[in-house]
Amino acid sequence: MYNPTAHLFLRKCLSDILAGANSKNTPPFENRLYSLFNDIFERFEKLYAGREDFEEQLKALLAVMLRNYVARPAALRKSDAQREANPGWFRSEQTTGMMLYADRFNKDLNGLIDKIDYFDELGVNLLHLMPVLESPKEKNDGGYAVSDYRKIDKRFGSNKDFKKVAKTLREKDMLLMIDVVVNHTSDEHEWAAKAQQGDAHYQDYYYTFPDRTVPELFERGLPEVFPETAPGNFTFDEAMQRWVMTVFNHYQWDLNYTNPKVFIEMLDVVLFLANMGVDIFRMDAVAFVWKRMGTASQNLPEAHIIHQLFKLCTQVVAPGVAFLAEAIVAPDEIVKYFGESKVWSNEHDMAYNATLMALLWNSIATHSTKVMQLGLRDLPEKPPGTTWINYIRCHDDIGLGFEDRHISEAGFDPYMHRRFLTRFLTNKFEGTFAKGMPFMYNPKNGDARISGSLASLAGLETALESGNRLAVTRAVDRINMLHSVILSYGGIPMVYYGDELATLNDYGFSDDPTHSDDNRWIHRPVIDWKEAAKRTRKGQPSQAVFTALQRMIAARKASPELADNNNLEIVNLENEHVFAYVRSKDDLLTLAIHNFKDTDQFIHAHATFPGLRLQHDRLFDKISGKKIELEEGRLILKPYQHYWLTNTQ
Ligand code: GLC
Ligand code: GLC
């Protein structure tokens, strides 16, 4: 809606700002600003209206946007224009991602460039580099405690090396994603250092308090993220002689977004990095950015407004940049990070499909897809234009973040069921194949999450230890089946580095004093390239997993119906062990079907498939390219077998 106050404000200050910019190339910026300014203004007003300096801050925001627009390199502006014309650019079936730590993958950023052929070999064309910005040597939470947002950490290389990576990927039509840790900084960040020296301006960038009064009130509502290693949500800073809010580790200071300067600074950081050639930002810990006493300070409405502002302002400056929300929260809450518009996304473009991830592990442990089907069917539809990041493992622990009501509906007791899952996945249940470790057991509520690599959780480690060849085959089949789901479900598949080679748990983390108290390092491997070379040797688990993944990525690229256009329909085949869904586009149709049980399953294809618009008498599997024969009208699925069935060869 037209807002005369916003319009007047823009008219009043835009010419001043433009005069200072000294550039003739601003019409695209001005056009986008005119069309989005209402939305920006209203949100800024919602958060900061009462302040005396409201207009001054809004003007400062516009100046930051324009400065970054003027600084945006021509090649990136060109790609902005192309992407504006093709808003589906990141939802394509052509895209498959891999997330990795540049140093643990192959030494550093230059080492990454040396491995471009490897990504090609596999078919991966989107790289998510785990935190690469400067962070302290030890207290860094794997890079999630940033001390300088404008500098690549020297353990990975220099800003120049980073730009070279971005340019190389762009020339190869590959996408580059990096993390921006927007919720907190390291206690060694310049702002924190100034706050420690008593500078009130910078103390106001954080939540700091002279005594425990306010912290105590906050604590009543706040849960603990790292109860074992960082209990409580506040830390007393000796230098500052004040308490500071530290929801994650004690050295990660939470930024105070009730101060508009913080938002403007962080937007400036995002745009600065965008101008270095980043295509997608993984916004870390998005649920946490706004705090309110008396609440858990997660998923608050103001947090959404902050993310909408990041998105809107970036759209004006660099419309070819997309945002991914890392919101590992309740299923209904995750969807809200896409924005609540029914027309198009107005917040994040992507979000981690943590619900699918956790439910897949539930199905692996129980051999049943009942809870998964109930949980996924119940998810609200995401807005057009958005997509999921589908993944099985990442650098973090697995939280069993699905709803109790779906567990009950499937006939289990939620508390006992969750206990069973944790025990099963951490090798404490009689007969389990999974070998994970409990992460952050909280004796106050009995909760624990799970660490472990895909291969070890899927049973490969115990199988190799026992020397049982059938068990090895089963583990490999589980891994391949899980990869099949993330490659065919609607969204961008994100392979976790090392999983393509069936890498087992790395127990070495416990010898490293900077990692030993955080067992997430068990699944953050250093790639051994000699070992990786075995991926071409028949009979090796790494070969079986790598080639299967390679084949599925290629099959995905040849299947336009797998692009995410909210075109996914979960189908109930009346067999709780089987997870199936239809993906269709115009005349193209694929039925992805997966057997989560270690025995053969029979599906009455002649009776059910025609109803799904799939002829049962000419079935082909897109992955293998082979024709599938039925037996007496039934499709047979061997243990963990999966197909992408279609009628066209
Ligand atoms: C995110 C990261 C996690 C980190 C946390 C705090 O959730 O994925 O690794 O510990 O943020 O920054
Ligand atoms: C993030 C995630 C949470 C995870 C934590 C530490 O806060 O939301 O699920 O456990 O980081 O890894």
Side-chain angles (χ1 to χ4, degrees):
M1 241 195 358
Y2 176 68
N3 176 335
T5 322
H7 191 73
L8 254 166
F9 178 86
L10 187 58
R11 282 225 334 241
K12 218 167 54 192
C13 79
L14 190 60
S15 49
D16 282 3
I17 294 170
L18 286 173
N22 206 9
S23 165
K24 289 202 182 63
N25 289 327
T26 53
F29 173 88
E30 291 172 61
N31 289 341
R32 292 193 293 257
L33 185 59
Y34 268 105
S35 65
L36 294 174
F37 188 68
N38 251 0
D39 291 335
I40 295 175
F41 182 90
E42 285 172 8
R43 285 168 177 77
F44 207 75
E45 207 178 26
K46 269 194 195 146
L47 298 180
Y48 307 120
R51 295 176 61 107
E52 255 174 40
D53 63 351
F54 173 79
E55 292 209 348
E56 188 193 321
Q57 294 304 332
L58 189 54
K59 203 166 167 183
L61 173 67
L62 292 179
V64 159
M65 288 164 63
L66 181 62
R67 172 160 49 71
N68 283 286
Y69 175 77
V70 171
R72 189 149 175 84
L76 299 180
R77 285 197 198 169
K78 195 170 143 210
S79 118
D80 288 340
Q82 285 162 350
R83 289 174 185 176
E84 276 186 295
N86 171 28
W89 61 273
F90 54 80
R91 286 180 283 121
S92 156
E93 74 284 359
Q94 299 300 320
T95 310
T96 296
M98 179 181 278
M99 59 187 291
L100 55 87
Y101 290 94
D103 55 341
R104 303 175 82 78
F105 185 72
N106 193 32
K107 292 193 282 294
D108 56 18
L109 290 169
N110 284 321
L112 195 68
I113 295 183
D114 294 341
K115 290 293 173 199
I116 298 271
D117 287 350
Y118 180 75
F119 301 123
D120 274 349
E121 184 187 339
L122 193 57
V124 158
N125 50 13
L126 183 173
L127 296 186
H128 168 202
L129 306 189
M130 302 297 295
V132 286
L133 303 177
E134 188 189 83
S135 63
K137 204 154 170 260
E138 289 181 0
K139 298 180 303 176
N140 65 36
D141 189 22
Y144 285 99
V146 177
S147 50
D148 189 342
Y149 289 99
R150 291 168 194 266
K151 201 166 149 208
I152 298 295
D153 195 291
K154 40 181 189 318
R155 81 193 95 155
F156 304 111
S158 62
N159 284 23
K160 208 170 139 209
D161 295 331
F162 182 78
K163 284 189 198 160
K164 192 164 116 203
V165 169
K167 187 161 177 275
T168 311
L169 297 186
R170 189 165 297 271
E171 284 165 2
K172 292 217 45 144
D173 247 340
M174 292 172 74
L175 297 174
L176 173 61
M177 165 148 95
I178 68 164
D179 276 87
V180 198
V181 188
V182 283
N183 178 67
H184 45 262
T185 74
S186 150
D187 62 354
E188 294 184 26
H189 190 281
E190 186 193 349
W191 303 334
K194 288 189 173 150
Q196 284 171 325
Q197 288 154 19
D199 186 332
H201 176 86
Y202 287 101
Q203 284 181 357
D204 202 25
Y205 274 39
Y206 301 97
Y207 294 92
T208 76
F209 306 96
D211 56 43
R212 288 285 301 171
T213 322
V214 178
E216 294 292 351
L217 293 172
F218 259 114
E219 284 291 9
R220 288 188 200 161
L222 288 172
E224 294 175 319
V225 181
F226 298 133
E228 278 182 20
T229 48
N233 289 280
F234 293 85
T235 302
F236 186 70
D237 187 77
E238 287 292 339
M240 190 164 58
Q241 287 291 302
R242 287 174 79 86
W243 290 87
V244 57
M245 185 184 267
T246 53
V247 168
F248 289 86
N249 288 296
H250 59 85
Y251 53 81
Q252 289 167 306
W253 288 22
D254 286 72
L255 283 166
N256 171 12
Y257 281 89
T258 66
N259 178 354
K261 294 184 196 112
V262 168
F263 171 72
I264 297 169
E265 293 262 24
M266 290 309 290
L267 177 73
D268 199 5
V269 161
V270 167
L271 298 175
F272 169 83
L273 295 168
N275 284 349
M276 283 178 55
V278 176
D279 300 295
I280 306 167
F281 287 103
R282 173 195 183 273
M283 303 290 267
D284 184 57
V286 294
F288 294 80
V289 302
W290 197 273
K291 279 76 177 171
R292 188 179 316 120
M293 216 185 279
T295 73
S297 295
Q298 288 185 33
N299 308 314
L300 292 175
E302 292 88 344
H304 287 282
I305 298 178
I306 290 285
H307 295 296
Q308 288 162 12
L309 279 170
F310 272 121
K311 164 84 179 171
L312 288 162
C313 297
T314 304
Q315 258 178 330
V316 172
V317 178
V321 165
F323 287 102
L324 160 64
E326 190 250 350
I328 313 302
V329 293
D332 292 350
E333 294 294 339
I334 298 180
V335 183
K336 293 185 188 158
Y337 288 91
F338 291 123
E340 289 181 75
S341 156
K342 296 271 174 287
V343 188
W344 199 254
S345 79
N346 64 359
E347 203 170 316
H348 284 270
D349 303 285
M350 318 169 188
Y352 282 103
N353 200 346
T355 314
L356 174 68
M357 180 278 294
L359 287 166
L360 284 171
W361 286 111
N362 173 80
S363 309
I364 285 287
T366 59
H367 299 285
S368 165
T369 70
K370 240 184 186 170
V371 182
M372 177 155 70
Q373 294 197 36
L374 291 166
L376 294 175
R377 276 172 207 278
D378 209 19
L379 273 187
E381 179 144 303
K382 57 189 171 50
T386 61
T387 198
W388 292 115
I389 293 283
N390 293 317
Y391 65 115
I392 313 165
R393 289 299 294 117
C394 70
H395 69 295
D396 277 336
D397 44 289
I398 301 171
L400 302 172
F402 37 87
E403 302 286 356
D404 281 352
R405 62 173 189 274
H406 300 130
I407 305 178
S408 309
E409 224 176 297
F412 309 109
D413 172 74
Y415 175 79
M416 294 306 285
H417 185 70
R418 287 178 190 283
R419 271 201 55 166
F420 157 74
L421 290 176
T422 312
R423 286 168 52 87
F424 186 94
L425 293 170
T426 58
N427 207 247
K428 296 208 176 67
F429 187 81
E430 179 70 31
T432 180
F433 50 76
K435 204 161 180 194
M437 281 184 98
F439 178 69
M440 292 291 153
Y441 172 69
N442 189 344
K444 288 179 206 158
N445 55 18
D447 277 357
R449 283 118 63 188
I450 297 126
S451 289
S453 77
L454 165 59
S456 291
L457 288 165
L460 188 59
E461 192 174 327
T462 43
L464 290 171
E465 276 165 8
S466 71
N468 179 336
R469 290 187 49 188
L470 179 63
V472 172
T473 307
R474 290 277 187 268
V476 165
D477 292 344
R478 279 183 207 109
I479 297 171
N480 292 342
M481 180 186 68
L482 289 169
H483 275 145
S484 162
V485 176
I486 62 164
L487 277 146
S488 57
Y489 202 82
I492 302 174
M494 186 64 76
V495 176
Y496 185 58
Y497 84 110
D499 288 351
E500 80 283 15
L501 297 165
T503 308
L504 302 178
N505 285 345
D506 173 6
Y507 296 95
F509 80 95
S510 57
D511 302 328
D512 179 337
T514 61
H515 294 162
S516 56
D517 67 349
D518 186 343
N519 67 25
R520 288 177 297 171
W521 290 96
I522 203 174
H523 55 250
R524 297 174 179 176
V526 174
I527 299 296
D528 174 345
W529 288 100
K530 272 211 192 93
E531 227 4 77
K534 293 189 188 154
R535 69 182 179 279
T536 55
R537 238 190 264 165
K538 258 208 141 63
Q540 294 285 331
S542 64
Q543 189 266 349
V545 168
F546 192 91
T547 48
L549 187 57
Q550 208 175 26
R551 208 173 294 140
M552 287 189 275
I553 294 175
R556 172 180 160 85
K557 288 187 182 168
S559 309
E561 69 276 27
L562 296 187
D564 183 17
N565 291 298
N566 281 355
N567 55 336
L568 171 106
E569 191 192 326
I570 296 175
V571 296
N572 183 357
L573 294 173
E574 312 274 325
N575 178 328
E576 66 167 304
H577 308 303
V578 175
F579 182 47
Y581 42 87
V582 166
R583 305 293 318 279
S584 60
K585 183 182 191 240
D586 308 325
D587 294 342
L588 301 171
L589 186 145
T590 290
L591 173 73
I593 185 164
H594 305 83
N595 176 12
F596 277 75
K597 180 94 177 123
D598 50 6
T599 55
D600 290 1
Q601 300 302 313
F602 304 90
I603 301 295
H604 291 286
H606 68 296
T608 43
F609 286 8
L612 305 171
R613 287 168 292 134
L614 196 63
Q615 299 314 311
H616 68 283
D617 45 5
R618 18 184 343 260
L619 291 172
F620 298 94
D621 171 29
K622 282 212 147 180
I623 304 171
S624 63
K626 293 205 177 109
K627 183 154 200 276
I628 304 298
E629 302 295 346
L630 303 181
E631 277 183 30
E632 296 168 16
R634 297 180 315 172
L635 174 74
I636 304 173
L637 291 167
K638 302 228 163 297
Y640 303 111
Q641 193 159 29
H642 53 275
Y643 289 125
W644 297 354
L645 295 175
T646 172
N647 285 145
T648 42
Q649 199 173 12

